């Protein structure tokens, strides 16, 4: 019993991690702020919710067309892919241009590792999911990245629908994106992007 108590004392309380992750509900997505949109336009947690929903729907459509997807892995990845931002913030693309993508990646990876350090025997799984997402090693990681981009564009579309302007740069990815997906999944993502572009064209 004493040994078990000592071992448990080295673990970070679950509550500490949950409290830290609450910051994502208040952390602004800086891309919108830098373009003059008001605070409260979108939080990182709101974006993570959108990514999770989008990833789930993409995965269900991919499965319906005959390609197997590990939906639990996909949803876990979608939930945790931005956790590092609780410590490093939502770094905009302009910041990456100055710091460099490698420096940013190292910082975010270390921040994520520190956040999940000591949370329990599942720490290794969280780190594995994060590394998979960063390296786009699996089908699930690539679908989550596609969902990340689609959710960004859905938010841009909603803002433009409400009268915002100057967001053209965000839409370039809809034309250039290559998520390295197998044919069936690539078709599902392409159809989603084309639907978004078509909906946007009707705003003009």
């Amino acid at each position: 019993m004493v040994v078990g108590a000592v071992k448990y004392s080295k673990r970070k309380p679950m509550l500490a991690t949950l409290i830290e992750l609450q910051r994502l509900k208040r952390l602004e997505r800086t891309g919108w702020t830098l373009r003059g949109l008001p605070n409260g336009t979108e939080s990182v947690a709101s974006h993570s919710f959108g990514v999770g929903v989008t990833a789930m729907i993409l995965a269900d459509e991919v499965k319906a067309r005959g390609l197997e997807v590990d939906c639990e892995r996909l949803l876990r990845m979608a939930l945790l892919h931005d956790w590092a931002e609780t410590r490093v913030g939502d770094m905009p693309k302009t910041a990456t241009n100055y710091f460099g993508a490698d420096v940013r990646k190292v910082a975010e990876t270390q921040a994520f590792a520190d956040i999940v350090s000591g949370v329990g025997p599942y720490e290794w799984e969280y780190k594995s999911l994060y590394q998979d997402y960063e390296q786009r090693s699996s089908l699930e990681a690539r679908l989550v990245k596609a969902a990340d981009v689609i959710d960004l564009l859905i938010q841009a579309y909603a803002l433009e629908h409400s009268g915002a302007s100057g967001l053209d740069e965000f839409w370039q990815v809809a034309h250039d994106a290559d998520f390295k997906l197998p044919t069936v999944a690539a078709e599902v993502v392409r159809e989603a992007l084309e639907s978004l572009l078509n909906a946007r064209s009707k705003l003009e």
Side-chain angles (χ1 to χ4, degrees):
M1 293 297 293
V2 174
V3 173
V6 171
K7 185 180 292 184
Y8 180 80
S9 69
K10 293 179 181 178
R11 286 177 52 185
K12 180 192 299 184
M14 183 188 303
L15 183 60
T17 302
L18 293 174
I19 288 173
E20 180 168 12
L21 292 175
Q22 285 284 312
R23 297 176 191 169
L24 297 178
K25 293 182 179 181
R26 300 183 301 278
L27 185 63
E28 300 285 339
R29 291 266 283 168
T30 56
W32 310 128
T33 305
L34 290 174
R35 284 152 187 88
L37 291 160
N39 288 341
T41 295
E42 185 184 32
S43 70
V44 173
S46 296
H47 171 63
S48 293
F49 169 78
V51 174
V53 170
T54 304
M56 180 180 71
I57 292 173
L58 289 176
D60 285 341
E61 182 61 27
V62 168
K63 288 178 68 176
R65 299 188 192 187
L67 184 60
E68 191 56 41
V69 180
D70 184 337
C71 286
E72 179 181 349
R73 182 174 183 82
L74 171 124
L75 288 172
R76 283 172 170 263
M77 203 178 297
L79 278 173
L80 62 72
H81 81 284
D82 276 338
W83 282 8
E85 294 184 11
T86 62
R87 297 201 177 189
V88 300
D90 180 36
M91 200 179 301
K93 184 177 180 181
T94 50
T96 304
N97 292 339
Y98 289 101
F99 288 109
D102 290 342
V103 170
R104 173 179 179 161
K105 188 169 185 177
V106 168
E108 290 181 340
T109 299
Q110 186 59 58
F112 184 89
D114 290 344
I115 289 165
V116 302
S117 177
V119 296
Y122 36 85
E123 174 186 334
W124 70 270
E125 183 178 357
Y126 294 163
K127 289 179 178 177
S128 173
L129 288 167
Y130 184 78
Q131 286 299 323
D132 185 4
Y133 175 74
E134 287 296 306
Q135 296 168 7
R136 314 283 190 266
S137 302
S138 66
L139 167 62
E140 290 75 20
R142 293 168 191 162
L143 277 174
V144 171
K145 183 57 185 177
D148 182 67
V149 169
I150 290 170
D151 182 69
L152 168 70
L153 296 180
I154 289 171
Q155 181 66 41
Y157 170 78
L159 291 169
E160 290 178 335
H161 190 269
S162 298
S165 59
L167 304 181
D168 289 351
E169 64 187 285
F170 291 102
W171 289 93
Q172 190 58 45
V173 70
H175 302 284
D176 300 340
D178 180 6
F179 302 106
K180 303 293 190 293
L181 289 163
T183 302
V184 170
E187 288 175 352
V188 170
V189 170
R190 178 180 53 78
E191 289 166 11
L193 291 172
E194 287 179 353
S195 294
L196 265 168
L197 289 168
N198 183 54
R200 188 192 188 217
S201 70
K202 295 175 181 177
L203 294 176
E204 299 171 352

